[in-house]
Amino acid sequence: MTNRTLLFLLLLMLFKQCKPVEKEQTTTMLTDPHSFSIPTDAQVTHLKWEASVNFDTKIIKATATWQIKTAPDADLLTLDTKGLKILKVTLNESQPAEFRLADPDSLLGQALAILIHPDTKQVNINYETSPDAEAVQWLKPSQTAGKKEPFLFTQSEAILARSWIPCQDSPGIKFTYEADITVPPNMLPLMSASNPQEKNDKGIYHFEMKQPISSYLLALAVGDIAFHPISARSGIYAEPSVLETAAWELADLEKMIAGAEALYGPYAWDRYDIIILPPSFPFGGMENPRLTFATPTILAGDRSLTSLVAHELAHSWSGNLVTNATWNDFWLNEGFTVYFENRIMEKLYGRDFAEMQATLAFQDLKANIIELTEAGHPEDTKLKLTLEGRNPDEGVTEIAYNKGYFFLRSIEEKFGRDKFDDFLKHYFSSNAFKAMTTDSFISATKSYYKTQFNIDLDDNLFNKWIFTAGLPDDCPTPVSTKFKVIDKALKSWDTEGRIEPIIAKEWSTQEWLHFIKNLPETLTLQQMTALDKFGKFTKSGNAEIVSAWMVLAIKNKYAVAYPRLEQFLVNTGRRKFLSPLYGEMMKTPEGKSMAIEIYKKARPNYHFVATNTFDQIIH
């Protein structure tokens, strides 16, 4: 019996002193190891959220009103919370309710157990967030692009929604929601819902999300934000000083939406907008329905990094529409999305562009497999994970994204793209707004290929990809003709670090990345200097290129780049870029000293998701 099971037994005994609890039944209800909720007893179906945002106290005061459906004999609703101050709980309109908060768990937070009755249809929770709520980052004006107004944004994935809304924080539980939010009059709030496009005088805004979503897709941003339309159903939000640049960079947004629909069916969320957040946002993007949250690092000035937008858009089908049931099934979310992303990019920009993306992904995947294996975690190179007792963020690796992608690509290549496209259209439409487990995916895939194409998919196909560590020997190998040109350039190096004249002015970001990542790890100062003169990497404004180059600079003690390195670390919050840099610095005494010093300056600018990772690297 786990500690969580025991906890629930004690809570249930507290509420049901005259009613014995069946230990075995309680245990089997806990299907998601990262949630205290027991949806087979009582499950949330709709949220009405009334909230007031206070930038002075860094507190959100709110009432969460949940509509619930219950089993006939249910008398307990269990929600996930973390760091919330629960002020009052009532049932239906205003009936007082008895509730208990369990002892806190450092990872999962606290279970909120509420005694309900057979006629309970609605539960109302009046509460306040903590100023240190893990999902919420409060930014000072100096941390924004405009430098005039503060800013707030949330990041709920994977299990941080519970730190700002009491909820059943499991990806397999879906609900609709509406919200009424009060903010300072000079601010504009946005959510993963229907959104305003301009500020009003009262500072009160209403939101609706009519399609059911999981709690990790709850999102809120508040700041000095403006809007620029791209098409009738899409547009860009950003701080005013960033808006024009962002709108130009993302001008192909409607083309991406139309291209995605042509591949796998109608877009199901009405609008698709993007908000460019301040630099501290810890991810490249977050696929919050209707409103993708995106990092400003995608604004490269040449539209070369828009594959990130294709990725977040693809989540509108894989992840948001068909969702992994638990975080152990995370690959179902990201593997499908990377596959879909590559197909969108191929449709818009050609096969070789997509193959460049796939080649870079393949290189990163192989490196990550080696890293995880050498760190003593070969089991984490399986697609199906076992994350009980661990932070689900530990599953956010190249495995879920790119091993998942190459698995799906292997099915496509072995049995035909037309067949795989037919399967995906059916997969998305027949499982829309539902949760999917790995076992259910296997069953659905085998069944469809058998009934539609009379093809028997061997169990070995699934076993070697999903339940086996590493990569199968027959993993597809992407081929890029443009990268072959780069490979010739790499071979032209001589011992003095000279490179023969080549046409590099037209290289894309992907070509430059392939060039940098395939340079020798050990280079002389003369070679580093020649490289920097050749590519102008240290002065680059492209975050992808800067990140890759700075790894080499740290390895080879290229001190010329250190001021730019510090500037990049202090002013960028994207975890993907910064983790390798801090990790590389920590390998030497000199680098460790530099990392610790820079981190002291940079840490206040990072979101909790990032510091939770960096704190384990820098010590």
Side-chain angles (χ1 to χ4, degrees), residues 473-536:
D473 294 335
D474 58 351
C475 178
T477 302
V479 177
S480 166
T481 56
K482 288 186 177 181
F483 278 0
K484 290 180 180 179
V485 176
I486 310 300
D487 292 336
K488 289 181 180 179
L490 286 163
K491 291 178 181 179
S492 73
W493 277 94
D494 63 23
T495 56
E496 295 181 357
R498 291 195 299 266
I499 191 166
E500 293 183 8
I502 53 173
I503 300 173
K505 290 182 180 180
E506 302 302 321
W507 281 5
S508 65
T509 296
Q510 290 73 21
E511 289 165 287
W512 281 114
L513 285 175
H514 183 71
F515 178 81
I516 295 170
K517 290 184 177 183
N518 287 279
L519 286 165
E521 289 195 5
T522 302
L523 294 162
T524 66
L525 176 60
Q526 186 178 15
Q527 288 174 320
M528 289 293 293
T529 303
L531 274 169
D532 209 1
K533 182 180 179 181
F534 166 63
K536 299 179 176 60

Side-chain angles (χ1 to χ4, degrees), residues 401-419:
Y401 289 76
N402 292 324
K403 184 178 179 181
Y405 160 70
F406 282 107
F407 171 37
L408 299 178
R409 177 167 168 167
S410 73
I411 298 175
E412 174 217 299
E413 291 187 358
K414 186 172 183 178
F415 301 104
R417 173 173 282 193
D418 289 346
K419 292 182 177 65

Side-chain angles (χ1 to χ4, degrees), residues 219-464:
L220 172 67
V222 182
D224 181 14
I225 301 168
F227 177 76
H228 185 287
I230 297 294
S231 71
R233 59 173 173 177
S234 67
I236 308 300
Y237 291 93
E239 292 184 71
S241 63
V242 178
L243 187 59
E244 184 177 344
T245 298
W248 181 88
E249 196 85 23
L250 303 174
D252 285 344
L253 185 56
E254 175 58 35
K255 292 180 183 178
M256 287 190 178
I257 302 170
E261 288 183 315
L263 285 168
Y264 298 125
Y267 178 76
W269 304 90
D270 299 329
R271 286 195 61 86
Y272 184 77
D273 296 318
I274 297 173
I275 178 172
I276 302 297
L277 291 174
S280 61
F281 185 57
F283 296 138
M286 180 62 208
E287 64 271 18
N288 303 309
R290 296 180 184 241
L291 184 67
T292 282
F293 281 18
T295 169
T297 61
I298 67 170
L299 306 180
D302 59 2
R303 296 176 179 161
S304 63
L305 301 181
T306 54
S307 61
L308 181 139
V309 176
H311 182 92
E312 305 309 329
L313 170 63
H315 271 302
S316 302
W317 286 261
S318 56
N320 297 6
L321 196 63
V322 184
T323 310
N324 47 281
T326 73
W327 297 111
N328 290 333
D329 303 298
F330 182 55
W331 80 271
L332 289 172
N333 186 322
E334 295 296 351
F336 273 89
T337 301
V338 174
Y339 179 86
F340 198 167
E341 166 199 346
N342 274 35
R343 292 293 303 278
I344 294 172
M345 299 308 287
E346 179 181 333
K347 188 174 185 63
L348 266 62
Y349 306 118
R351 174 71 175 179
D352 200 62
F353 187 93
E355 284 295 88
M356 287 196 293
Q357 293 282 113
T359 301
L360 292 171
F362 192 54
Q363 293 169 0
D364 291 342
L365 173 59
K366 290 190 292 184
N368 194 214
I369 289 173
I370 292 171
E371 179 184 359
L372 288 169
T373 303
E374 290 181 347
H377 300 292
E379 70 281 358
D380 286 351
T381 67
K382 300 176 183 179
L383 286 178
K384 173 72 173 182
L385 297 175
T386 304
L387 294 171
E388 184 167 1
R390 301 167 62 189
N391 192 320
D393 273 357
E394 293 181 31
V396 183
T397 69
E398 299 291 338
I399 306 305
Y401 289 76
N402 292 324
K403 184 178 179 181
Y405 160 70
F406 282 107
F407 171 37
L408 299 178
R409 177 167 168 167
S410 73
I411 298 175
E412 174 217 299
E413 291 187 358
K414 186 172 183 178
F415 301 104
R417 173 173 282 193
D418 289 346
K419 292 182 177 65
F420 194 64
D421 282 350
D422 287 345
F423 164 69
L424 281 188
K425 289 176 185 176
H426 178 264
Y427 177 82
F428 292 136
S429 63
S430 62
N431 296 295
F433 303 110
K434 298 178 183 177
M436 178 69 63
T437 66
T438 295
D439 287 342
S440 296
F441 157 78
I442 294 172
S443 176
T445 309
K446 292 173 71 172
S447 174
Y448 191 84
Y449 269 77
K450 179 61 177 177
T451 57
Q452 297 298 315
F453 313 125
N454 198 29
I455 294 174
D456 290 306
L457 297 181
D458 195 313
D459 286 340
N460 182 57
L461 171 67
F462 299 97
N463 291 335
K464 69 182 180 181

Side-chain angles (χ1 to χ4, degrees), residues 55 149-152 186-189 199 221-226 239:
F55 279 91
E149 303 290 348
F151 203 102
L152 170 160
N186 56 337
M187 300 284 187
L188 182 70
K199 301 171 187 174
V222 182
D224 181 14
I225 301 168
E239 292 184 71

Side-chain angles (χ1 to χ4, degrees), residues 96-123:
E98 186 176 359
F99 67 93
R100 296 287 187 276
L101 275 170
D103 290 338
D105 177 276
S106 60
L107 174 62
L108 302 178
Q110 293 176 280
L112 172 61
I114 302 168
L115 190 64
I116 59 176
H117 307 300
D119 65 342
T120 302
K121 303 299 180 185
Q122 175 179 304
V123 176

